[in-house]
Structures are given as C-alpha cells and as structure tokens.
Amino acid sequence: EVLLQTCEEVVKCAQRALDLQATSNGSELRPVALGAEDLLPILVYVLIRSRMVLLPAELAFVADFLPTNMQFGKEGYALTTLQCANHVALHETELLNTNATRSEHLLAHHASLT
C-alpha cells in the first residue's frame, strides 16, 4: 500500500509541475500522460534525495512477502518501478563516488608534480 501511494504521489507532483509549467508559458492545460520513462528518472531523484539507506532491504522484504494476487497488479508495478529506481540510484551513486575518487587522485598527483 505504501509503495503504491508513494508512486501515485510522485506522479501527482510531476503532473502538477507540468501543469504549472504549461500555465506559466501561457498554454492551456492539456492532459499529459506520464509513462514509465518519465516516472523512473523522477523516482531516482526522489530516492537519492531521500537518503534511505535501508531501502534495498525494505524492498526485498516487501518483494518476499507481497501476496501473489498483488504481484501482477498496481502494487507489483509500483514495487518493480521502485526496485528499478533503487538499482539506478545505487549505480549512479557508486559511479559518482568512483569518479570523485579518481578526480581526487588526479588532483593529488598533479599537486605533487608542481
């Protein structure tokens, strides 16, 4: 239930942002459908900003105990979407940390040469 509500709230916020952007441009409001390709980057951003360290464990717990009849409905979709966003967020964070470490080593090496 919480996973589904979280995804629904993120979609509502994104929809409001799109509506505000349309009205600020003087455009008329038109219904805009948000697909998975729109939702995933937003969820990745939200997860990174939330700094929820235990999220992978919590998602695994929910996946293990999600009733079979919910796995193929909205709840299953919300869980899978959050798992994907979590995977991307973890990978991006590792990539950023690796690049930062490399940059620090290069700067230190450059400083030692001068």
Side-chain angles (χ1 to χ4, degrees):
E1 181 89 17
V2 171
L3 295 175
L4 187 57
Q5 288 174 348
T6 301
C7 285
E8 287 173 351
E9 287 302 316
V10 168
V11 169
K12 285 178 191 175
C13 288
Q15 186 65 51
R16 277 181 282 210
L18 290 172
D19 291 346
L20 287 171
Q21 182 181 12
T23 55
S24 69
N25 292 337
S27 305
E28 65 181 69
L29 285 178
R30 294 175 303 181
V32 177
L34 292 173
E37 65 275 3
D38 302 312
L39 181 60
L40 189 61
I42 295 168
L43 281 173
V44 169
Y45 175 79
V46 170
L47 292 181
I48 289 172
R49 296 287 296 175
S50 72
R51 300 177 188 210
M52 292 181 62
V53 180
L54 298 177
L55 185 63
E58 292 175 11
L59 289 173
F61 179 83
V62 171
D64 287 344
F65 293 101
L66 188 66
T68 306
N69 63 329
M70 297 176 107
Q71 291 175 1
F72 301 103
K74 289 181 184 180
E75 296 83 4
Y77 180 79
L79 174 63
T80 302
T81 303
L82 283 170
Q83 287 173 323
C84 291
N86 184 61
H87 178 76
V88 171
L90 288 174
H91 179 70
E92 290 298 319
T93 303
E94 288 173 9
L95 202 63
L96 288 172
N97 289 339
T98 301
N99 287 338
T101 303
R102 286 183 187 158
S103 298
E104 289 169 6
H105 288 300
L106 286 173
L107 287 172
H109 178 68
H110 180 67
S112 69
L113 294 176
T114 56

